[in-house]
Amino acid sequence: MFNELSIWVVEEGLDYAVQIFSELNIVRGGPNMLHAELLGIRRLLNHTIPWDFCILLSEQDYPLRGNAVLAEYLWVHRGTSFVSVDEGECERDVSYQCGDRVVSLSGGVQYPKIPGMRYASGSQWFAITYQLAAVIGTHLSNSSTIVGTILHDLITVKQPDESFFQAVVLNSEFCSRYSDYTLHWTDKDSMREVRSLTSEYNIMSPGVLIFPRDVAKVSEVRDKSLWAFFARKFDNSLQSTQLKDSLDKLSKQNSRKVWTRVQKHQVPALWRLTQVLASSFADVVSVDRLQRNVDGLFHVQTLQLQLGHGRTTLLLREKLAMPSRSSSLLALRIGCDWNKTDLVFDGDVSAVASSSSGLYSCPSLWAIVHWQMSKKPVSEDLLLVWIDPGGTPMQHAPIKISEHSVLVWHRYTATQPLSPGEWTLEVQSMEQGILARRTFFVYREPSQIPWHKVKEFFDVLPS
C-alpha cells in the first residue's frame, strides 16, 4: 500500500502537498498511534503550505459534505479546536507494545495520576488549530513543559491517543478555545466490543456503513447534524462503496452555487457601494445574490455585481463581527428582513435604511448571533443593547442561550425611523461584560454611506 500511495501521489501531481511516510508499527491500543499523530503534526508544521486546521482522518472515514461547506464552518470557528472531552476518570492501565501485541503490565490497576493534573478521555478524532499544533510540536520533547509532562505521563497507559489531546486542552490556555463537538459522526447503535488478536484489551468499534441499510440513517445525520463533516466507518466492499457514491452525489448537488437576481429596491445600499467601488459613471447591469448552501450553517451575504458595458464583475462579501476575546459567541450580524426559512438576510446587511417603508427602507431590522454548540447543559441569560449614534441605548433585549443555541435571532422593535449615522449593537453578559460588539450604519439615502464604512463592512473580491 505504501508503494501504491507513493505512485498515486506522483501520477496525480500531488507531491507538492502530500507526504507519504511509514515509520511506525501501529498496534491498536498501543502508544504508536499517538506517536504517528504527533509525527504527522510535526511534518505539517514544517510544510511550506500555510494552514489553519489539522484534521485527523483514517482510511475508514468519508466526507458527508463538500469542502466549501467545511471551509465555511472552520472559518467561523477560527481559533477553536475540536476535541471530544469527557472530563473525569480515564483508563490508566499500564501497557506495553511488544512487536505486534499490546499487553497489560498492571492487570487493570489504575496508574497513579499527577496531582493537580486535569484528565479526560474521548474520541480519537480531532481538528486542532495551527496555534495548538504549534504549542504541541514546540514543547513535545521538553518534559519540563505541560505538554512534555502529559506525553511522558500518558504514553505508558492504554490508548493514549484518546486522552493526550484532551489533557493538553484542559491543562493549557486552550481550555477556553475548544468545542467538544468533533467533526466526526459514528453510528453509536452499531458499536460493539471487539477482541483484537494483537491486544489484551477489548475495544469498542462501530459497524461498517453499507447501502441500502444505512442510507436513511446517514441522510438524517446530513439533515440534522450540521456539525458532522465525516462519517465512519466505511470499507471497500461494494455495498459500502455504493453508499459513499450516494454521499458524493448529495455533496455535489448541495454545494452547487446558486445565484438569484436581486432587484434594486431589495438591497438599496448596493448602488452606493457600486458607486464608491467603481466610479460615479459606472452603470449597474445586474446584481445577483449567492443562496445559502443547503448543507451550510454559517452563510454570509455574498453579492455579485455586473458593472458597466465591459461587464466587469465584483463580489461583495459581508464581514462578520467577531468577539474580541475567547467566548462561545462566534459572530454577530445586523441586517434587514431575516428569512427564518432559508436563514439569510433578504435585504441590506450592516448598512441599513432608517425607515421601515418608502423607496429606501428596512421593513424589519434583525440581530443574528452565531453561537458555539456544547454537549454540556448550558443556560445563560444575555442582553442585546441597541445604541444610537449619540450613545443612547434605544433597546435592551434579553436572550437566553442553551447548548443548542447555534443560531439566535432578535428583531429590533424600538422607535423608528432610526437616527442616521453609526449605531452599535452589544452582546452583554452579567458575568463577563461585553462579549461582542457590532457597529452598523443607518442611512436615509444610499449616497450617505461613507467609503470607509464600505471597507469596514464588506470584503471586495474579484469574481
Side-chain angles (χ1 to χ4, degrees):
M1 181 168 289
F2 178 85
N3 289 333
E4 289 178 1
L5 287 171
S6 299
I7 293 171
W8 169 75
V9 167
V10 174
E11 289 181 344
E12 295 294 328
L14 297 174
D15 50 328
Y16 72 97
V18 179
Q19 297 181 12
I20 307 295
F21 63 95
S22 178
E23 299 182 18
L24 297 164
N25 178 26
I26 298 176
V27 180
R28 191 170 184 180
N32 277 352
M33 179 67 79
L34 176 58
H35 282 310
E37 294 167 5
L38 297 175
L39 180 58
I41 287 174
R42 279 178 158 171
R43 284 175 172 260
L44 284 175
L45 290 171
N46 291 324
H47 208 287
T48 57
I49 295 178
W51 54 275
D52 297 307
F53 283 90
C54 163
I55 303 175
L56 178 65
L57 301 172
S58 82
E59 79 283 4
Q60 293 185 314
D61 300 336
Y62 206 74
L64 291 170
R65 314 182 194 283
N67 287 343
V69 185
L70 173 60
E72 178 185 86
Y73 189 85
L74 294 178
W75 176 70
V76 174
H77 283 85
R78 55 189 179 274
T80 300
S81 292
F82 298 83
V83 180
S84 174
V85 176
D86 299 318
E87 191 171 359
E89 191 69 30
C90 58
E91 295 186 60
R92 292 176 60 79
D93 188 354
V94 179
S95 66
Y96 179 74
Q97 181 173 333
C98 180
D100 291 331
R101 285 185 59 77
V102 175
V103 298
S104 170
L105 297 182
S106 60
V109 176
Q110 298 297 300
Y111 183 62
K113 295 182 178 181
I114 298 176
M117 184 76 74
R118 295 175 67 184
Y119 290 91
S121 58
S123 169
Q124 170 190 5
W125 313 107
F126 61 76
I128 61 174
T129 62
Y130 178 91
Q131 292 77 14
L132 176 53
V135 168
I136 291 174
T138 302
H139 300 298
L140 201 57
S141 302
N142 187 347
S143 59
S144 66
T145 65
I146 189 66
V147 173
T149 299
I150 291 171
L151 178 64
H152 181 75
D153 177 50
L154 294 178
I155 206 66
T156 56
V157 301
K158 170 189 173 184
Q159 288 187 278
D161 56 301
E162 295 188 354
S163 55
F164 172 79
F165 293 94
Q166 287 79 1
V168 169
V169 163
L170 290 178
N171 294 281
S172 69
E173 67 270 25
F174 297 97
C175 61
S176 61
R177 293 301 290 160
Y178 81 91
S179 169
D180 51 12
Y181 271 90
T182 64
L183 305 181
H184 278 71
W185 172 81
T186 302
D187 183 11
K188 295 293 194 300
D189 294 335
S190 68
M191 295 288 282
R192 66 188 189 282
E193 197 170 57
V194 176
R195 176 70 174 180
S196 173
L197 298 176
T198 59
S199 173
E200 293 186 2
Y201 304 111
N202 290 341
I203 298 173
M204 298 298 292
S205 179
V208 175
L209 297 167
I210 62 173
F211 183 92
R213 182 192 65 194
D214 297 311
V215 169
K217 189 177 296 185
V218 174
S219 297
E220 184 179 11
V221 172
R222 293 188 81 265
D223 291 339
K224 297 182 178 181
S225 301
L226 296 182
W227 51 266
F229 288 87
F230 303 95
R232 67 185 322 272
K233 59 185 185 178
F234 297 85
D235 62 16
N236 291 326
S237 67
L238 176 60
Q239 289 174 304
S240 194
T241 300
Q242 288 176 322
L243 182 54
K244 288 187 283 188
D245 288 344
S246 69
L247 287 174
D248 285 344
K249 291 179 182 177
L250 282 173
S251 295
K252 184 177 181 180
Q253 173 183 322
N254 288 356
S255 63
R256 186 168 54 242
K257 288 186 176 182
V258 177
W259 298 87
T260 57
R261 187 56 48 88
V262 178
Q263 302 303 317
K264 185 173 182 177
H265 70 276
Q266 292 177 289
V267 280
L270 269 182
W271 271 256
R272 171 58 179 164
L273 303 182
T274 302
Q275 182 183 30
V276 296
L277 287 172
S279 76
S280 59
F281 304 104
D283 294 324
V284 179
V285 177
S286 64
V287 178
D288 297 284
R289 181 192 288 123
L290 181 64
Q291 297 301 99
R292 184 177 78 91
N293 189 295
V294 176
D295 288 340
L297 187 62
F298 297 103
H299 174 80
V300 296
Q301 189 177 94
T302 304
L303 300 158
Q304 182 175 260
L305 283 66
Q306 295 280 353
L307 306 179
H309 299 294
R311 296 297 178 96
T312 301
T313 304
L314 290 176
L315 294 181
L316 293 181
R317 186 174 64 191
E318 169 196 8
K319 291 182 181 178
L320 301 182
M322 315 297 285
S324 57
R325 53 191 170 85
S326 296
S327 170
S328 294
L329 192 153
L330 298 173
L332 185 59
R333 307 169 65 198
I334 302 291
C336 300
D337 298 342
W338 177 249
N339 186 322
K340 297 178 184 179
T341 301
D342 296 333
L343 302 181
V344 296
F345 285 115
D346 285 333
D348 284 337
V349 297
S350 302
V352 302
S354 60
S355 175
S356 60
S357 60
L359 178 62
Y360 302 120
S361 64
C362 180
S364 60
L365 180 63
W366 296 82
I368 307 300
V369 181
H370 291 286
W371 203 263
Q372 182 175 291
M373 291 185 298
S374 174
K375 290 182 179 178
K376 300 174 183 177
V378 173
S379 181
E380 186 174 0
D381 293 319
L382 301 177
L383 195 63
L384 294 179
V385 182
W386 301 77
I387 304 170
D388 74 5
T392 303
M394 298 300 293
Q395 183 173 6
H396 292 78
I399 59 172
K400 183 175 285 293
I401 296 294
S402 73
E403 62 270 25
H404 305 299
S405 299
V406 182
L407 203 60
V408 180
W409 51 79
H410 164 76
R411 182 176 179 177
Y412 177 82
T413 56
T415 305
Q416 288 184 308
L418 305 176
S419 302
E422 182 174 283
W423 282 62
T424 303
L425 176 69
E426 293 179 350
V427 181
Q428 299 180 2
S429 165
M430 291 292 292
E431 296 179 354
Q432 302 178 58
I434 298 175
L435 296 181
R437 180 183 286 115
R438 162 94 276 185
T439 60
F440 62 100
F441 191 82
V442 175
Y443 64 86
R444 287 197 180 99
E445 297 277 339
S447 60
Q448 295 174 340
I449 304 173
W451 168 230
H452 69 274
K453 285 300 170 187
V454 175
K455 293 190 292 183
E456 179 182 338
F457 297 144
F458 299 91
D459 283 319
V460 182
L461 308 169
S463 178

